[in-house]
Amino acid sequence: MPIDFAAKKAQFHLPEGVVYLDGNSLGPMVNTVPARVDAAVRNEWGEMLIRGWNHAGWMAQPRMLGDRIARLIGAEAGTVVLGDTLSIKVYQALASALDLNPKRRVILSDTGNFPSDLYMAEGLCRTLGGQYRLKTVAPEEVMSAIDESVAVVMLTEVDYRTGRRHHMADITRRAHELGALTVWDLAHSAGAIPVDLVGARADFAVGCTYKYLNSGPGGPAFIYVAPRHADAARPALSGWLGHEAPFAFDLSYRPGQGIERMRVGTPPVLQMAALEAALEIWEDVDLHEVHAQSLRLQDQFIKGVESRAPMLQLATPRSHLMRGSQVSFRHPEGYAIMQALIAEGVIGDFRAPDILRFGFTPLYVDEDDVARAVNVLTRILDYGTWDRPEFKQRAAVT
Ligand SMILES: Cc1ncc(COP(=O)(O)O)c(C=O)c1O
């Protein structure tokens, strides 16, 4: 059955008068979340107290929800676990991948990768004593830069700024041919586009849940380890909940079975409750259909903006095959333009130096929203209403 997008939209809480084009940064709230979180607070924490760990399934949640996310990213059951932040999961995946390829010293990434991924790699190189090196190339050059010195290719599948999408299967194949492993960051993929980790033979993958999976601000991240590596991958962050027997309280670490070893410490139970409710949205959803509809909305937006606001320059590839779920335009005054848009209820965001980002998630964005976004944006540009001091005042989060 085709997705009833209008019915899906009704399952989200969207403030009156808002067109929300920023689910690529923070997904909106699913209507069932407050009641589920309230129950977790009152009935589980409030009434069960410490007994909640056993009786409310808190300890099993990171794996149980991991299995639900696994279905959305083309992963096998039992290969995904939740916890911590995405930056931490990047570090873990990268450290284990390097350890599995011990003769090599180069981490290959691209200049479009999210800075935190690159910072984590730099920090890991330092911790490993400086023999390791992070090499970054332009996104288009990744394929040709993979050679026999590369230990790990670490990429974000969909570029957070331009929305450009790497070809996961081709890059992974090339990496494997030349003896490298892959770490894929799915922050802008999970819940946005069809992902097939098994089909692509990805080695490790990580992602967050607060964007397209709508777990709310600070929601837990996830990590995937291919089953062929799961019992060989050595965790760099060897916390007690990744131990084979956490409640044996042994003095030395023994890694848990398979993906369990990628757990670190106490999971964020209340945030997991929010995620559990939010994931119900996905029960009957085919991501091919979601992405196809997103591309239609993106095309509508690109066409409208290019015909009426030629001063904006498209930063996203035109090819559907190279697109995720967002469209970006460049303008030197992008920050002020975005603030003026937000003041009119059309919410996107800005990424330095000059990128206006717009996310098109068809589960809660429709053609009328896109038409309104185009109208408001062109009016702001036509009348120059962005050119006010209050719109140029940079906030901490852009
Ligand atoms: C691609 C990518 N990687 C990593 C991160 C960092 O995630 P976190 O703040 O959860 O560690 C983000 C955050 O937006 C991201 O977009």
Side-chain angles (χ1 to χ4, degrees):
M1 263 237 299
I3 301 172
D4 180 347
F5 285 110
K8 284 288 172 200
K9 189 172 183 179
Q11 290 180 262
F12 286 87
H13 172 79
L14 296 161
E16 202 52 46
V18 162
V19 171
Y20 195 59
L21 305 181
D22 210 8
N24 48 310
S25 208
L26 175 69
M29 190 178 80
V30 176
N31 289 331
T32 51
V33 166
R36 178 67 189 93
V37 173
D38 191 62
V41 171
R42 290 176 200 281
N43 308 344
E44 297 178 11
W45 177 24
E47 295 300 320
M48 294 183 192
L49 294 164
I50 193 75
R51 294 168 291 185
W53 287 108
N54 289 322
H55 299 325
W58 294 345
M59 204 44 103
Q61 242 173 356
R63 281 287 298 279
M64 191 195 74
L65 297 180
D67 279 348
R68 288 173 69 183
I69 290 175
R71 287 197 288 110
L72 302 176
I73 55 175
E76 309 88 334
T79 59
V80 175
V81 74
L82 282 125
D84 316 300
T85 71
L86 176 49
S87 303
I88 289 172
K89 282 345 212 184
V90 167
Y91 189 91
Q92 278 187 300
L94 186 58
S96 291
L98 287 176
D99 190 55
L100 286 170
N101 208 355
K103 296 211 174 99
R104 303 200 179 178
R105 292 287 176 265
V106 176
I107 301 161
L108 177 68
S109 191
D110 71 16
T111 51
N113 205 347
F114 192 77
S116 196
D117 295 31
L118 303 176
Y119 304 160
M120 285 310 218
E122 280 179 19
L124 180 58
C125 289
R126 269 197 307 278
T127 303
L128 291 173
Q131 324 124 8
Y132 285 85
R133 182 165 74 88
L134 170 66
K135 178 178 173 183
T136 50
V137 298
E140 318 77 61
E141 285 163 14
V142 167
M143 268 298 219
S144 56
I146 304 172
D147 62 25
E148 285 172 352
S149 71
V150 175
V152 179
V153 179
M154 177 189 78
L155 296 169
T156 295
E157 186 186 15
V158 177
D159 189 309
Y160 77 105
R161 266 198 296 232
T162 62
R164 180 190 188 279
R165 179 183 181 180
H166 279 297
H167 198 299
M168 184 189 288
D170 285 359
I171 291 179
T172 303
R173 192 178 319 110
R174 184 76 187 138
H176 290 172
E177 277 164 11
L178 291 167
L181 296 177
T182 53
V183 173
W184 288 98
D185 182 336
L186 305 179
H188 299 267
S189 308
I193 59 176
V195 177
D196 183 7
L197 290 178
V198 173
R201 288 192 56 76
D203 298 290
F204 293 81
V206 292
C208 59
T209 59
Y210 47 74
K211 298 181 192 294
Y212 296 98
L213 300 177
N214 311 303
S215 67
F222 64 83
I223 183 166
Y224 161 85
V225 181
R228 62 187 178 280
H229 299 310
D231 286 318
R234 285 198 302 199
L237 302 177
S238 35
W240 72 305
L241 290 189
H243 191 280
E244 191 180 30
F247 284 86
F249 294 108
D250 287 345
L251 289 187
S252 62
Y253 183 78
R254 271 179 288 123
Q257 291 291 309
I259 195 68
E260 282 285 335
R261 65 184 56 190
M262 292 298 162
R263 294 176 70 157
V264 181
T266 305
V269 171
L270 300 180
Q271 205 83 56
M272 297 257 182
L275 175 61
E276 185 183 355
L279 285 176
E280 274 151 35
I281 286 282
W282 297 98
E283 289 308 315
D284 53 353
V285 166
D286 174 1
L287 272 152
H288 290 92
E289 209 182 326
V290 170
H291 191 218
Q293 178 65 2
S294 173
L295 288 168
R296 280 192 280 276
L297 297 173
Q298 293 174 41
D299 287 345
Q300 180 192 346
F301 186 71
I302 293 172
K303 197 165 161 219
V305 172
E306 288 195 322
S307 62
R308 293 168 58 192
M311 61 293 265
L312 293 179
Q313 188 203 339
L314 185 66
T316 303
R318 289 188 191 276
S319 160
H320 281 183
L321 296 175
M322 290 176 71
R323 274 201 236 155
S325 189
Q326 77 179 57
V327 169
S328 304
F329 281 96
R330 292 183 196 281
H331 190 286
E333 294 293 345
Y335 182 78
I337 295 167
M338 183 52 76
Q339 301 322 301
L341 256 178
I342 294 171
E344 298 222 27
V346 178
I347 302 182
D349 65 16
F350 171 80
R351 287 293 173 263
D354 59 356
I355 295 264
L356 296 113
R357 290 199 305 184
F358 303 92
F360 295 93
T361 311
L363 297 183
Y364 50 83
V365 175
D366 59 26
E367 289 85 353
D368 291 346
D369 294 326
V370 176
R372 183 167 151 219
V374 172
N375 285 340
V376 176
L377 178 58
T378 43
R379 185 156 34 80
I380 284 169
L381 288 161
D382 287 347
Y383 292 100
T385 50
W386 55 268
D387 195 7
R388 292 200 202 133
E390 70 263 32
F391 294 143
K392 297 185 181 179
Q393 198 78 40
R394 296 266 171 134
V397 176
T398 63

